[in-house]
Amino acid sequence: MHSMGLWAWLLVIVVCLAMLYPYVRIIRRTGHSGWWFITMFVPILNVIMLWVFAFVKWPTVDRPVR
């Protein structure tokens, strides 16, 4: 068994960075700090927070119509 090569690690980093921008945008739309993106790197917690952000009231979308 051999370890991951340099190109594989670079691919992992690029994928993580590519996911970072939309993740922060979604979190900020819920009215929370963009720093919640750190939960993306914690196993199990990332799935839980995805569900939390999916069902929390979003101030930009759920504001009452006048």
Side-chain angles (χ1 to χ4, degrees):
M1 194 184 278
H2 49 308
S3 64
M4 290 177 58
L6 176 64
W7 292 110
W9 280 112
L10 286 174
L11 180 63
V12 168
I13 291 170
V14 167
V15 168
C16 285
L17 289 175
M19 292 173 45
L20 183 66
Y21 180 71
Y23 204 89
V24 170
R25 295 259 319 184
I26 290 169
I27 292 170
R28 297 210 48 202
R29 284 187 179 180
T30 65
H32 294 86
S33 169
W35 286 101
W36 278 98
F37 83 89
I38 295 172
T39 62
M40 178 176 75
F41 300 107
V42 180
I44 306 292
L45 182 60
N46 57 7
V47 176
I48 293 169
M49 292 311 292
L50 177 66
W51 281 87
V52 168
F53 290 131
F55 291 104
V56 72
K57 288 195 180 281
W58 292 25
T60 57
V61 176
D62 295 331
R63 65 177 150 224
V65 178
R66 294 182 188 221

